[in-house]
Amino acid sequence: MATSSRIASVSTSLLKNNQYGISSVVGRASSWWSHVEMGPPDAILGVTEAYKRDTNPKKINLGVGAYRDDNGKPYVLPSVLKAEERLSAKKLDKEYAPIAGSAEFCNLSINLALGEDNEQSKNGLNATLQGISGTGSLRIGAAFLAKFFPGNKEVYLPTPSWGNHTPIFKHSGLNVQQYRYYDPKTCGFDFQGALQDIAKIPEKSIILFHACAHNPTGVDPKPEQWAEISKVVQQKKLFPFFDMAYQGFASGDVARDAFAVRHFVKNGHEIVLTQSYAKNMGLYGERAGAFSLITSSKEAAQTTLSQLKIIVRPMYSNPPIHGARIVTEILSDPSLKSQWLQDVKGMADRIISVRTQLRDNLKKEGSQRDWSHITDQIGMFCFTGMNQQQAERLTKDFSVYLTKDGRISMAGVTSKNVDYLAHAIHEITK
Amino acid sequence: MATSSRIASVSTSLLKNNQYGISSVVGRASSWWSHVEMGPPDAILGVTEAYKRDTNPKKINLGVGAYRDDNGKPYVLPSVLKAEERLSAKKLDKEYAPIAGSAEFCNLSINLALGEDNEQSKNGLNATLQGISGTGSLRIGAAFLAKFFPGNKEVYLPTPSWGNHTPIFKHSGLNVQQYRYYDPKTCGFDFQGALQDIAKIPEKSIILFHACAHNPTGVDPKPEQWAEISKVVQQKKLFPFFDMAYQGFASGDVARDAFAVRHFVKNGHEIVLTQSYAKNMGLYGERAGAFSLITSSKEAAQTTLSQLKIIVRPMYSNPPIHGARIVTEILSDPSLKSQWLQDVKGMADRIISVRTQLRDNLKKEGSQRDWSHITDQIGMFCFTGMNQQQV
């Protein structure tokens, strides 16, 4: 590695040009870090920052990937508030959780995903750990697969997928490939394209599915389409990785949203499953999630769990307790759980309702376009079908903030701004 | 990679011997994971599990790395309870923290470490992020160094060091080496051995120090020894990585425990610093900690921060809010902070007191051995000098 000698008054441009900013003399003139370039700013954050600077009173932030109530405010679920009251009264200590999180949290999580009487957890076939919400659970999965997956260490993502999937897998040492998913012509699911591409994936590769409420498109396969996909995945000996970040939040029904996961598992697939409680319990910053490996033997569940813990220990030792305790309080108490199921249905219903209002209002505005995808799509996000220029004009002319791909967060739409939004979209697309 | 065909009734031993348990037919007979071996159990956990099984009423668990009160019970600090009451009354939402954690938390953390009026944070020379307690902050540091460190990508650890240091660095792609530290002959600091080994470390390597209350030995250099070490590190152009998991918890005095860190920084070293609030605020499971890079320019602080965030995003996106809010509530309120300083001094005093009692009792028992290391050592742990058989 090249070394360089310095004089105290070296200019900063010299520092920048030198690949390694090593100081011969410890002092202010140079640094170990002069060679580090500014990284690109976060795309989504940029949207919110521009929104904050905008002084237009009618401005709308549709970049935000977090639920908002009908007044555009963050929402803490009543069941969560109640759970926190109870926890507070219990006067618990703050001792470390086990490396894998509490066993109760893990059992409740896998049972929520697979259903209360599922064969897998009854027979100890799952290796489940608490993860740091969805992202942390994905990262555990990626690290485990990079180390132990006996097949082709490539992950096939739907096109498009959540932006963070690719770096999660790449940073863990897995290659990332694509399969067709979203059809821009229909703003819907490219079922035939997906089946064709999946059939061409090399055997024993990893294929990632969004269990429900696909992010960013909102486009989900129908149950009969999931059944077809399951067959092809089986025939091609592919390994399914399910990312379920919106169970309950998509349709309002936790069983319905878990259909694909449960179907695959019932049909004998050994899967990886990541779960997040960020959206469906509104626990965002508390970072509660779970990672599961569904295996075919108790022994495999135990050995893989031991290896997963060895991966987690040098990442962060043990997971944060607060969010997990809220989840446990809610899911373990029938009345709190019942309350929660109502809360999450309420959120899903509001989203579905503003989808309907937006679509109706566009019609009222006189739009000739087919906007049915607004109500066909599901979950937090809607791929409007607008292109980048249209998205930019929407922002510039109407102070409606969204991402360049034409994605809007339905959470940012309220009964109070949906008229204005429909008008703005119509003006841009007519 | 070898593939193999299966028959449905293959025995489990065949499955174990086959390196890749690929199923040709999806079914219960085989698995993607048959080849995975059971990993070694966690050493410390084994101690606690054996303790739990023991029926002797006089049993004592000295494996636990968490503070206990004088009744052997977990302890939630009064200042923490008060902070949680206040937070509860504020009815905050649960929105995502920024990738780097809240700016207030980060500022409070670096100022706790370096002192309220430190030049570095005043001039924006630090890149600080909230990390998942000490471990998570170490992992961020390891990942950053593996990617961006311009020198020799080897980390020199004291012998011995916390067991988790090695896998943290290795899993991040850095080599791990050693320098002499603990002297088993004296149960104290091998100052000469350390200096000799440090002088031999290749230039521009990374050298890790425990800022205070060395884990597992409890043996810390004296201030004048730290000053010597700082000079050698400077001469040898080494990059100091400070792991500070016990600030306040060691001596009972946050400034005193941060002496080494502050000394190095004041003497111009650009360091990495990891902090944990697990022990000194008793926040263990809440996972509150911080990672800092002290640079020599505002620009370097900004560019490195941007790169740190790019590393964090695909790890866990953003850090857990609850513990950080407690820390922020305490450190930002003079009366709560004052309460906390008393709470942490109380914990440190109890530890120091039982060290003294243990040493005195050994003398009363008639022991002829020199047990002064029990009170010379500091912090959570004591290296008794007993060997494995004696244990």
Side-chain angles (χ1 to χ4, degrees):
Chain A
M1 190 211 74
T3 52
S4 56
S5 53
R6 297 287 167 90
I7 54 173
S9 58
V10 62
S11 70
T12 49
S13 60
L14 255 180
L15 276 167
K16 280 188 207 150
N17 291 338
N18 194 303
Q19 190 186 3
Y20 303 103
I22 310 303
S23 58
S24 329
V25 183
V26 174
R28 289 286 177 96
S30 54
S31 165
W32 291 92
W33 309 112
S34 322
H35 65 293
V36 176
E37 303 277 329
M38 193 64 126
D42 188 272
I44 312 277
L45 202 71
V47 171
T48 293
E49 282 172 357
Y51 166 83
K52 284 182 181 165
R53 287 193 296 267
D54 192 323
T55 53
N56 183 344
K58 286 179 169 274
K59 65 181 179 176
I60 311 178
N61 187 356
L62 301 181
V64 64
Y67 181 80
R68 294 285 178 265
D69 65 15
D70 199 50
N71 293 309
K73 296 277 175 275
Y75 175 64
V76 181
L77 279 60
S79 49
V80 168
L81 288 169
K82 189 129 197 100
E84 280 191 307
E85 276 169 38
R86 290 195 191 177
L87 286 168
S88 181
K90 286 183 180 180
K91 300 201 177 309
L92 301 168
D93 62 41
K94 293 185 180 300
E95 293 299 289
Y96 290 127
I99 297 172
S102 86
E104 196 182 2
F105 171 88
C106 293
N107 285 335
L108 290 164
S109 294
I110 193 62
N111 289 341
L112 175 65
L114 300 188
E116 283 307 310
D117 285 310
N118 73 88
E119 290 301 310
Q120 287 69 33
S121 65
K122 250 200 280 192
N123 294 310
L125 301 180
N126 61 304
T128 302
L129 305 94
Q130 181 186 342
I132 300 175
S133 208
T135 306
S137 305
L138 284 156
R139 184 61 179 247
I140 295 171
F144 181 81
L145 292 171
K147 195 170 177 188
F148 292 101
F149 185 63
N152 176 33
K153 289 181 186 177
E154 288 192 317
V155 183
Y156 282 75
L157 302 178
T159 308
S161 195
W162 181 44
N164 209 17
H165 275 147
T166 293
I168 289 170
F169 290 112
K170 280 193 161 166
H171 285 220
S172 305
L174 296 164
N175 275 337
V176 165
Q177 306 286 356
Q178 303 285 331
Y179 61 92
R180 271 175 291 170
Y181 187 85
Y182 176 73
D183 186 347
K185 291 195 300 303
T186 63
C187 296
F189 181 41
D190 184 359
F191 183 42
Q192 290 310 319
L195 285 180
Q196 284 169 30
D197 283 1
I198 292 172
K200 287 196 226 132
I201 293 175
E203 272 199 10
K204 303 190 199 85
S205 303
I206 303 155
I207 179 165
L208 183 139
F209 300 108
H210 298 222
C212 60
H214 180 271
N215 178 1
T217 68
V219 167
D220 286 351
K222 296 182 178 52
E224 52 271 25
Q225 292 172 326
W226 276 121
E228 273 298 306
I229 293 166
S230 170
K231 288 210 198 94
V232 179
V233 167
Q234 210 165 46
Q235 282 157 13
K236 298 294 165 179
K237 304 181 180 42
L238 304 178
F239 182 82
F241 189 134
F242 273 97
D243 181 6
M244 184 154 69
Y246 296 98
Q247 186 187 9
F249 190 92
S251 70
D253 180 331
V254 293
R256 192 165 151 190
D257 290 346
F259 171 82
V261 171
R262 295 180 187 189
H263 178 89
F264 270 62
V265 168
K266 284 197 191 112
N267 279 271
H269 291 278
E270 292 177 41
I271 68 170
V272 151
L273 171 67
T274 53
Q275 296 169 266
S276 169
Y277 292 101
K279 297 7 175 240
N280 63 7
M281 282 199 189
L283 291 178
Y284 303 99
E286 303 283 1
R287 317 313 286 130
F291 169 86
S292 289
L293 204 58
I294 310 295
T295 71
S296 62
S297 73
K298 247 194 176 90
E299 189 189 16
Q302 287 165 357
T303 56
T304 52
L305 184 67
S306 74
Q307 296 293 348
L308 284 158
K309 283 155 70 170
I310 288 170
I311 286 172
V312 166
R313 177 58 160 146
M315 280 188 174
Y316 54 85
S317 285
N318 45 74
I321 55 178
H322 194 78
R325 283 175 169 175
I326 294 171
V327 173
T328 302
E329 198 67 25
I330 288 174
L331 295 181
S332 63
D333 176 302
S335 80
L336 261 184
K337 184 175 179 184
S338 174
Q339 172 73 53
W340 169 61
L341 290 171
Q342 286 181 50
D343 294 344
V344 74
K345 186 173 188 310
M347 290 193 287
D349 285 350
R350 191 185 92 64
I351 299 283
I352 290 165
S353 156
V354 290
R355 285 182 181 273
T356 305
Q357 289 178 60
L358 180 58
R359 183 182 168 184
D360 290 349
N361 282 359
L362 281 159
K363 196 162 182 185
K364 279 201 219 122
E365 287 280 329
S367 177
Q368 298 301 312
R369 287 172 167 253
D370 179 3
W371 293 104
S372 54
H373 52 280
I374 294 180
T375 43
D376 289 341
Q377 292 168 8
I378 193 169
M380 184 84 78
F381 300 110
C382 168
F383 247 33
T384 56
M386 286 188 284
N387 60 35
Q388 184 168 330
Q389 293 94 309
Q390 289 171 317
E392 281 167 1
R393 275 181 58 211
L394 195 61
T395 303
K396 187 162 164 296
D397 297 349
F398 292 93
S399 294
V400 173
Y401 288 83
L402 69 165
T403 48
K404 290 202 287 280
D405 52 7
R407 182 194 86 165
I408 59 174
S409 169
M410 296 309 301
V413 182
T414 68
S415 61
K416 300 156 181 62
N417 65 21
V418 67
D419 293 347
Y420 176 74
L421 177 60
H423 174 73
I425 292 176
H426 175 59
E427 289 299 309
I428 300 294
T429 58
K430 66 182 180 188
Chain B
M1 189 212 74
T3 53
S4 55
S5 52
R6 298 288 166 89
I7 53 175
S9 57
V10 62
S11 68
T12 48
S13 59
L14 253 182
L15 276 168
K16 279 189 207 149
N17 292 336
N18 194 305
Q19 189 186 3
Y20 303 102
I22 310 301
S23 59
S24 327
V25 183
V26 174
R28 290 283 176 99
S30 52
S31 164
W32 291 94
W33 308 111
S34 322
H35 65 292
V36 177
E37 302 278 330
M38 192 64 126
D42 188 274
I44 310 277
L45 202 73
V47 170
T48 294
E49 281 170 358
Y51 165 84
K52 284 183 182 167
R53 286 193 294 269
D54 193 323
T55 51
N56 183 343
K58 286 179 169 274
K59 64 181 182 178
I60 310 177
N61 187 358
L62 301 181
V64 65
Y67 181 80
R68 293 286 176 264
D69 64 16
D70 201 49
N71 294 307
K73 297 276 176 273
Y75 175 63
V76 180
L77 279 60
S79 49
V80 168
L81 288 168
K82 191 134 195 95
E84 281 193 306
E85 278 169 35
R86 291 195 191 177
L87 285 168
S88 181
K90 285 185 181 180
K91 302 198 175 309
L92 301 169
D93 61 41
K94 294 185 180 299
E95 293 299 290
Y96 290 126
I99 298 172
S102 86
E104 195 181 4
F105 171 87
C106 293
N107 286 336
L108 290 165
S109 294
I110 193 63
N111 289 341
L112 175 64
L114 300 188
E116 282 307 312
D117 286 310
N118 73 86
E119 290 300 308
Q120 286 68 34
S121 66
K122 249 200 280 192
N123 294 309
L125 301 179
N126 60 303
T128 303
L129 305 95
Q130 179 185 344
I132 300 176
S133 207
T135 307
S137 305
L138 283 157
R139 184 61 179 247
I140 293 171
F144 181 82
L145 292 171
K147 195 168 176 189
F148 291 102
F149 185 64
N152 176 32
K153 289 182 186 178
E154 287 191 319
V155 183
Y156 282 75
L157 302 178
T159 308
S161 194
W162 180 45
N164 208 17
H165 275 146
T166 294
I168 290 171
F169 290 112
K170 281 190 160 167
H171 286 221
S172 307
L174 296 165
N175 274 337
V176 165
Q177 306 285 356
Q178 303 285 331
Y179 61 92
R180 272 174 289 169
Y181 187 84
Y182 176 73
D183 186 347
K185 292 197 299 303
T186 62
C187 297
F189 180 41
D190 183 358
F191 183 42
Q192 290 311 319
L195 286 179
Q196 285 169 30
D197 282 1
I198 293 173
K200 289 197 226 131
I201 293 175
E203 272 199 10
K204 302 188 199 87
S205 303
I206 303 156
I207 179 165
L208 184 139
F209 300 109
H210 297 223
C212 59
H214 180 273
N215 178 0
T217 67
V219 165
D220 286 352
K222 297 184 180 50
E224 52 271 25
Q225 293 172 325
W226 276 121
E228 273 298 306
I229 293 167
S230 170
K231 287 207 199 97
V232 179
V233 166
Q234 208 166 47
Q235 282 157 15
K236 298 295 167 179
K237 304 181 181 40
L238 303 179
F239 182 82
F241 190 133
F242 274 96
D243 181 5
M244 185 154 70
Y246 296 98
Q247 187 188 9
F249 190 91
S251 70
D253 179 329
V254 293
R256 194 164 148 188
D257 289 347
F259 170 82
V261 171
R262 296 179 185 189
H263 178 89
F264 270 63
V265 168
K266 284 194 190 116
N267 281 269
H269 292 279
E270 295 180 35
I271 68 169
V272 152
L273 170 67
T274 54
Q275 295 168 265
S276 169
Y277 292 101
K279 315 325 191 265
N280 63 6
M281 282 200 189
L283 290 178
Y284 304 99
E286 303 282 3
R287 316 314 285 130
F291 169 87
S292 289
L293 204 58
I294 310 295
T295 71
S296 61
S297 74
K298 249 193 175 87
E299 188 188 19
Q302 287 164 358
T303 55
T304 53
L305 184 66
S306 75
Q307 296 294 348
L308 285 158
K309 283 154 68 170
I310 288 171
I311 285 172
V312 166
R313 177 62 160 141
M315 279 187 174
Y316 53 85
S317 284
N318 46 75
I321 55 179
H322 194 78
R325 283 176 168 175
I326 294 170
V327 173
T328 301
E329 199 68 24
I330 288 174
L331 295 181
S332 64
D333 177 300
S335 79
L336 261 184
K337 183 175 180 183
S338 174
Q339 172 72 53
W340 169 61
L341 291 171
Q342 286 181 50
D343 295 344
V344 74
K345 186 173 189 311
M347 291 193 287
D349 285 350
R350 191 185 91 66
I351 300 280
I352 290 164
S353 154
V354 290
R355 286 182 181 274
T356 305
Q357 290 178 57
L358 179 59
R359 183 183 170 183
D360 290 348
N361 283 358
L362 281 159
K363 196 164 185 185
K364 279 201 220 119
E365 288 280 327
S367 176
Q368 298 301 312
R369 288 171 167 256
D370 179 3
W371 292 104
S372 53
H373 54 279
I374 293 180
T375 42
D376 289 342
Q377 292 169 7
I378 192 169
M380 184 83 77
F381 303 108
C382 167
F383 248 34
T384 56
M386 285 187 287
N387 60 36
Q388 184 167 327
Q389 293 94 311
Q390 290 171 315
V391 171

